[in-house]
């Protein structure tokens, strides 16, 4: 079991969720995905869920203080189970979130060991999001792609048998909002982590397995690849 802490960074549709799951399986560490945690809160109609629902449905970012609390709680829960390593997926998404995370880790003399940026061209993302299907059950939350990772039976979740859906925030108009939000709020974090010296670029346009292999190599060796020259 690894005690290292990773962040997976990349635009919506870069494959962060699927890749984080694979990486966590290999390293046997928890996958902390703020999108999943928030979707569970919405499904369970908790006070946080009711607050964030309109933001999530329209593809906007939920307020920093809410998501920071949700994430810190998840880190605490992992820590109580003596799990100090983890992969963060979907967090941080703004400077405030990155700074809040850094502050909390610093207090505990911890740090993010590696930030892996999945560099994915816009055309690939558009295609991936429009072919994504998700299990609507918040306890399952499995994600498929009708082209690259289809379920065994068309439109039925392999794990729990529920009918798969297109997530409300995977509708074309919402995808555009989420992409705009990424370039405005989250992409500047690439520079933030580049300056910290712990950013690694992984090309995200290969097959799911190819990208997973590159991510695993990066995580295990800690080699920090720079962005390819354009
Ligand atoms: P995801 O599954 O990571 O694509 O997240 C789905 C939605 O949850 C996003 O479109 C946001 O509305 C919300 N969300 C997830 N993580 C964050 C975050 N770190 N900051 C703000 N909003 C978030």
């Amino acid at each position: 079991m690894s005690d290292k802490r990773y962040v997976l960074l990349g635009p919506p549709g870069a494959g962060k969720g699927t890749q984080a799951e694979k990486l966590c399986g290999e390293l046997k560490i928890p996958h902390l995905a703020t999108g999943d945690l928030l979707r569970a809160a919405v499904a369970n109609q908790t006070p946080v869920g009711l607050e964030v629902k309109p933001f999530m449905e329209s593809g906007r970012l939920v307020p920093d203080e809410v998501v920071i609390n949700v994430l810190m709680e998840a880190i605490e829960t992992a820590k109580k189970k003596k799990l100090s390593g983890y992969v963060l997926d979907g967090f941080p998404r703004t400077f405030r979130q990155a700074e809040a995370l850094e502050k909390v880790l610093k207090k505990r003399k911890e740090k993010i060991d590696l930030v892996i940026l999945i560099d994915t061209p816009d055309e690939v993302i558009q295609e991936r999001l429009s072919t994504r299907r998700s299990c609507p059950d918040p306890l399952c939350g499995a994600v498929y792609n009708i082209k690259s990772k289809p379920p065994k039976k068309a439109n039925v979740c392999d794990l729990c048998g529920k009918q798969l859906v297109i997530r409300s925030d995977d509708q074309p108009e919402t995808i555009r909002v989420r992409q705009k939000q990424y370039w405005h709020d989250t992409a500047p974090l690439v520079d933030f982590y580049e300056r910290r010296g712990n950013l690694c670029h992984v090309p995200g346009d290969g097959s799911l397995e190819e990208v997973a292999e590159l991510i695993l190599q990066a995580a295990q060796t800690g080699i920090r690849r720079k962005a390819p020259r354009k």
Side-chain angles (χ1 to χ4, degrees):
M1 191 188 304
S2 170
D3 59 356
K4 299 253 188 298
R5 296 171 203 91
Y6 303 94
V7 167
L8 280 194
L9 209 58
K16 294 188 297 296
T18 309
Q19 294 298 347
E21 216 169 86
K22 275 185 164 289
L23 182 61
C24 290
E26 290 287 343
L27 303 180
K28 303 195 173 33
I29 53 179
H31 171 196
L32 306 183
T34 43
D36 290 348
L37 294 167
L38 294 169
R39 271 186 292 279
V42 171
N44 293 324
Q45 300 186 343
T46 66
V48 167
L50 295 176
E51 183 179 351
V52 302
K53 191 173 179 204
F55 290 93
M56 295 183 71
E57 281 183 345
S58 59
R60 287 172 297 149
L61 293 185
V62 313
D64 282 330
E65 26 336 323
V66 178
V67 72
I68 289 169
N69 281 339
V70 166
L71 196 262
M72 295 310 165
E73 231 172 70
I75 291 181
E76 274 313 311
T77 307
K79 202 154 183 118
K80 279 189 192 135
K81 294 182 191 158
K82 306 257 178 289
L83 299 166
S84 51
Y86 44 76
V87 174
L88 299 186
D89 155 18
F91 188 98
R93 266 172 151 116
T94 65
F95 273 124
R96 263 191 73 199
Q97 294 177 18
E99 281 164 354
L101 177 65
E102 199 169 62
K103 203 167 143 195
V104 168
L105 293 180
K106 214 171 185 172
K107 258 194 207 154
R108 302 174 170 174
K109 301 194 174 18
E110 295 175 352
K111 63 179 170 55
I112 293 297
D113 294 281
L114 193 66
V115 179
I116 300 167
L117 171 69
I118 311 180
D119 257 334
T120 317
D122 268 355
E123 320 78 79
V124 176
I125 285 171
Q126 207 70 38
E127 156 88 12
R128 278 198 197 146
L129 287 178
S130 60
T131 49
R132 178 151 85 176
R133 298 292 179 272
S134 307
C135 175
D137 185 336
L139 293 177
C140 175
V143 179
Y144 301 87
N145 186 291
I146 49 178
K147 288 204 172 148
S148 60
K149 193 188 165 197
K152 292 194 184 86
K153 191 171 160 204
N155 235 21
V156 175
C157 180
D158 290 348
L159 304 180
C160 72
K162 295 242 164 50
Q163 198 74 17
L164 301 179
V165 296
I166 299 179
R167 246 166 58 181
S168 60
D169 60 348
D170 279 344
Q171 304 294 344
E173 182 48 36
T174 319
I175 290 174
R176 274 191 288 278
V177 175
R178 290 166 65 206
Q179 281 184 322
K180 221 168 132 190
Q181 189 113 52
Y182 172 80
W183 290 109
H184 184 265
D185 295 296
T186 311
L189 294 183
V190 170
D191 267 355
F192 176 93
Y193 285 118
E194 198 99 67
R195 280 199 301 276
R196 299 286 186 277
N198 60 355
L199 187 87
C200 168
H201 290 253
V202 166
D205 50 354
S207 72
L208 208 148
E209 286 73 24
E210 285 162 355
V211 178
E213 187 53 39
L214 291 174
I215 291 179
L216 184 61
Q217 271 172 21
Q220 287 177 330
T221 60
I223 292 173
R224 293 175 205 131
R225 278 203 283 169
K226 296 248 184 265
R229 279 178 192 279
K230 295 253 159 78

